Amino acid sequence: MRETTLMNKKIYIETYGCQMNVSDSEVIFSILGKEGYERTLEMEEADLILANTCSVRDNAEQRIWGRIEQFHKMKESRPDVIVGIVGCMAERLKDKLIETGKVDLVAGPDAYRSLPGLLRDISPDNPRINVMLSHEETYADIVPVRTDRNGVSAFISIMRGCNNVCSYCVVPYTRGAERSRDPETIVNEARDVFGKGYKEVTLLGQNVDSYLWKSEGRTVSFPELLEMVARISPDLRVRFATNHPKDISDELIETMAAYDNICNHIHLPVQSGSNRLLEKMRRRYTREWYLERVAKIREVLPGCGITTDVIAGFCSETEEDHQDTLSLFREVGFDYAYMFYYSERPGTLAARNYPDDVPLEVKTRRLNEIIALQTELSLESNRKDVGKTFRVLVEGPSKKNPEELCGRAGNDKMCVFPGKGLKAGDYADVRIASCTSATLIGEIV
């Protein structure tokens, strides 16, 4: 058995997938930090290597299999290194991961508190595993170790799990049932990071609109929670993700309008523009409902950024269904979209009940048509902002030109501008002079 003390060891974590996984990695750093582990950015000096994984799409999992091989090569020269897989892929493929003989540790999203004990019990012939899901775990009492590079934006998880069970989605099976976190712990965490110099928090949940805390006769909804966080300080910007079209309420939209420091951006995954496919996906809204919600957002919040997710080539998708998606994109005019073709996830309702019958070449063609259209729409949206002035939170130097700065406007669009004398965390009023399909280019006024 390995030595029982974990003091003076170094941990390296690679995080894949969504912002929720970034938040989870910060929780892991905190839990193991109390056991003496120190974070390192250099895998070569780590005593513990973890991959925090995502199972939403097949290509995400394929990347992890490749990384496991690379981790194993390092382990061949450094046998004492512990290699672990945590997160959604650990939950979904627990036995298969252990059977490789190349992984020492497997822990699901609700098992991070058990990591110190699992690590103490690992030996070369004794890999450890804990993928038990919980109906209560929210890690509300854990103070995350912030991993962002600029000290400007912090992620705060407000809930875990999902109850929607969309037919294509693996999340309910890997992250368990939905449960909301005590609102006071969320507000305290936001107040704490603001006190440490952070200027922005993003409230995270698989479906933030269904956040609901009930205790001793008290009920707190997501709009109420959002208001509680916004009232910490007008200098603390507040974002959130992700919304569900079936649940987004007038109350939320009106709460956003009431506070200048709540960013005017809503990520509203549509997945398809076809009512037939929306029903098959178990999304529980129609195209008409979605468009009505968009209209309400734009009525109350003119200029609000609206972004989305979409799946091309879902089971039985016809050319007419695909055209419905393209026409919805044109009607909404999204600022940006995350676009993928359908990849079947084992264990989901779709995998059990619907054949994955759209040929890959058709999926690829349809996806490319959506991407081409969205590129046009993004450019059109950005052109509408030329001449406008936005308050931008500086994130740091521009990647393409270190002499310039970059940061996001409240509508979530990336802005690039000369900013001599400014630093990450400063606010700047930026007038937009030109744009590309991905970026607003401006100057300080």
Side-chain angles (χ1 to χ4, degrees):
M1 187 175 294
R2 294 179 188 270
E3 58 187 71
T4 57
T5 179
L6 298 180
M7 298 303 291
N8 302 316
K9 301 248 181 177
K10 293 187 177 181
I11 174 175
Y12 170 86
I13 303 181
E14 290 186 356
T15 304
Y16 298 83
C18 63
Q19 295 170 333
M20 293 289 291
N21 276 12
V22 175
S23 179
D24 278 6
S25 290
E26 294 178 337
V27 166
I28 294 170
F29 279 124
S30 179
I31 290 170
L32 292 181
K34 294 176 182 177
E35 300 292 328
Y37 270 97
E38 299 177 359
R39 182 189 177 206
T40 179
L41 299 177
E42 302 298 329
M43 182 172 68
E44 291 73 17
E45 66 180 27
D47 301 286
L48 170 60
I49 299 172
L50 298 179
N52 190 355
T53 60
C54 175
S55 282
V56 172
R57 285 173 292 276
D58 181 63
N59 61 353
E61 287 191 355
Q62 294 307 316
R63 288 179 64 192
I64 300 302
W65 289 118
R67 292 302 287 161
I68 288 173
E69 293 301 320
Q70 292 175 299
F71 297 156
H72 185 65
K73 287 181 180 178
M74 177 171 292
K75 191 175 176 67
E76 287 177 339
S77 60
R78 298 173 58 210
D80 287 338
V81 173
I82 296 175
V83 173
I85 304 298
V86 299
C88 292
M89 186 173 171
E91 178 70 37
R92 199 181 79 77
L93 295 172
K94 41 194 174 287
D95 295 329
K96 190 174 180 180
L97 289 165
I98 291 294
E99 288 167 4
T100 65
K102 299 174 182 178
V103 173
D104 303 298
L105 171 70
V106 175
D110 292 344
Y112 300 146
R113 291 183 194 270
S114 69
L115 285 172
L118 295 173
L119 289 167
R120 280 189 286 266
D121 291 341
I122 288 173
S123 64
D125 58 350
N126 184 38
R128 305 302 293 159
I129 181 170
N130 184 355
V131 292
M132 292 292 293
L133 290 174
S134 168
H135 290 286
E136 293 83 30
E137 182 62 83
T138 64
Y139 301 110
D141 60 319
I142 304 294
V143 179
V145 173
R146 305 296 169 183
T147 59
D148 58 286
R149 301 286 182 94
N150 57 25
V152 172
S153 301
F155 296 129
I156 298 179
S157 177
I158 67 170
M159 59 196 302
R160 298 183 73 81
C162 184
N163 290 349
N164 287 310
V165 197
C166 299
S167 64
Y168 55 82
C169 186
V170 74
V171 168
Y173 309 101
T174 59
R175 286 189 170 268
E178 193 174 88
R179 61 271 190 200
S180 297
R181 179 179 164 188
D182 183 331
E184 296 301 331
T185 68
I186 297 168
V187 173
N188 289 340
E189 185 175 338
R191 188 178 288 116
D192 177 67
V193 297
F194 180 64
K196 292 176 179 175
Y198 286 82
K199 296 295 183 66
E200 181 179 88
V201 294
T202 301
L203 308 180
L204 298 177
Q206 297 297 143
N207 175 13
V208 293
D209 297 301
S210 61
Y211 173 90
L212 189 66
W213 172 260
K214 294 182 179 181
S215 179
E216 298 179 352
R218 182 190 181 200
T219 300
V220 177
S221 66
F222 181 61
E224 291 169 319
L225 174 68
L226 186 62
E227 183 172 29
M228 291 166 67
V229 176
R231 292 177 67 179
I232 291 173
S233 171
D235 291 326
L236 177 66
R237 292 211 309 191
V238 185
R239 298 186 183 275
F240 51 87
T242 295
N243 297 89
H244 197 297
K246 73 179 176 65
D247 294 321
I248 187 169
S249 66
D250 290 357
E251 183 185 2
L252 172 62
I253 299 167
E254 289 158 4
T255 300
M256 294 174 66
Y259 290 87
D260 291 339
N261 60 324
I262 300 177
C263 292
N264 281 1
H265 168 241
I266 294 175
H267 187 66
L268 200 62
V270 67
Q271 307 302 4
S272 175
S274 161
N275 280 337
R276 186 183 72 86
L277 287 191
L278 288 172
E279 182 176 3
K280 198 166 192 175
M281 290 175 168
R282 298 188 80 245
R283 292 294 286 171
R284 300 177 186 171
Y285 57 84
T286 64
R287 173 193 181 97
E288 291 74 23
W289 172 264
Y290 187 94
L291 292 172
E292 186 278 329
R293 291 289 78 195
V294 169
K296 182 65 177 182
I297 293 167
R298 289 188 167 151
E299 174 192 341
V300 178
L301 297 168
C304 181
I306 301 178
T307 54
T308 199
D309 297 346
V310 69
I311 298 170
F314 185 65
C315 308
S316 81
E317 183 184 72
T318 65
E319 195 62 31
E320 182 179 359
D321 294 324
H322 172 57
Q323 292 302 321
D324 284 344
T325 295
L326 293 176
S327 68
L328 184 139
F329 266 57
R330 294 187 188 97
E331 189 164 349
V332 174
F334 294 111
D335 298 292
Y336 182 78
Y338 295 93
M339 301 160 282
F340 308 93
Y341 63 68
Y342 174 66
S343 60
E344 183 177 87
R345 312 310 297 129
T348 59
L349 186 150
R352 295 193 304 269
N353 294 280
Y354 309 138
D356 183 8
D357 54 2
V358 179
L360 178 59
E361 61 270 21
V362 176
K363 291 181 182 179
T364 303
R365 190 260 300 168
R366 290 176 182 170
L367 175 60
N368 287 337
E369 289 178 2
I370 295 172
I371 292 172
L373 174 59
Q374 183 55 53
T375 300
E376 295 176 10
L377 295 174
S378 295
L379 181 58
E380 181 181 332
S381 172
N382 286 351
R383 281 173 174 165
K384 292 177 182 177
D385 288 334
V386 173
K388 296 180 181 178
T389 298
F390 295 102
R391 195 178 195 212
V392 175
L393 179 58
V394 178
E395 296 181 3
S398 167
K399 292 181 180 179
K400 291 186 177 180
N401 183 358
E403 299 299 314
E404 295 183 322
L405 296 175
C406 68
R408 293 190 183 276
N411 61 9
D412 202 44
K413 292 184 180 181
M414 179 59 71
C415 302
V416 174
F417 51 94
K420 189 174 182 180
L422 294 176
K423 63 184 183 305
D426 289 339
Y427 286 105
D429 291 325
V430 177
R431 182 182 180 277
I432 306 306
S434 62
C435 68
T436 67
S437 61
T439 307
L440 299 178
I441 301 167
E443 56 192 9
I444 294 177
V445 295

